[in-house]
Amino acid sequence: NINGNDGPYADTLILAQRVKTSAIPSALFSVEDTLFVGMADHGGLQIYNIDSQDGTGQEISEFAEGFSIKEIYWDSSSRLLLLSCGFQGVVILKLDDNMNKIRNWIINTNYAYASRYYKSHIIVATRNGLEIIKINDQ
């Protein structure tokens, strides 16, 4: 309870803000002032600017509605956002500098726990081990 006045950390933990999401958040990833929030129950992904001037966290974009996000990975050099979605596979989004979608793919894999981008390959951690998929993004 961060609002309590008792305990050793009562004066150091302060609730800074709450952000209302469209579904239950199940995965988080942040880089600089951008926060990626993956939703359970087919809620997709919401992207927030957490350094907005009013201090409330401004929603920038929303993607992958209908997908339940288990894990999020952002590769800034390739501008690829990988969303591991369990039985739904992996959703890959190529984003521009303003977090607008340029291109997207859906890869059907075994149950996708996590995914990473490495040298034009998508590596997916699944129930049956690793699956490595080569992508041609020209």
Side-chain angles (χ1 to χ4, degrees):
N1 182 0
I2 61 173
N3 293 324
N5 294 324
D6 297 330
Y9 301 108
D11 60 346
T12 58
L13 299 176
I14 299 167
L15 179 62
Q17 66 182 352
R18 290 183 195 264
V19 176
K20 180 75 173 147
T21 57
S22 60
I24 297 170
S26 60
L28 297 173
F29 186 87
S30 65
V31 59
E32 297 177 13
D33 61 352
T34 304
L35 177 65
F36 301 90
V37 182
M39 307 295 167
D41 300 323
H42 309 288
L45 176 87
Q46 292 177 317
I47 303 174
Y48 293 92
N49 176 350
I50 54 175
D51 197 25
S52 62
Q53 292 190 5
D54 64 359
T56 60
Q58 175 187 9
E59 184 176 341
I60 300 170
S61 301
E62 191 170 334
F63 299 112
E65 291 179 34
F67 287 86
S68 298
I69 313 300
K70 308 294 183 197
E71 197 254 359
I72 301 166
Y73 178 74
W74 170 246
D75 184 77
S76 60
S77 62
S78 66
R79 309 279 317 156
L80 290 178
L81 181 66
L82 281 64
L83 308 174
S84 302
C85 301
F87 288 114
Q88 296 173 299
V90 179
V91 174
I92 304 169
L93 299 162
K94 183 163 190 131
L95 304 176
D96 65 15
D97 291 338
N98 296 317
M99 297 297 170
N100 295 311
K101 180 176 66 173
I102 297 172
R103 193 168 177 197
N104 66 298
W105 304 266
I106 300 172
I107 300 175
N108 292 319
T109 65
N110 284 298
Y111 192 98
Y113 291 105
S115 54
R116 296 291 183 268
Y117 176 76
Y118 180 72
K119 294 185 179 181
S120 298
H121 292 80
I122 304 297
I123 303 168
V124 184
T126 74
R127 287 186 172 169
N128 297 331
L130 298 178
E131 295 182 15
I132 302 171
I133 299 109
K134 180 161 178 46
I135 62 170
N136 294 320
D137 181 27
Q138 301 173 4

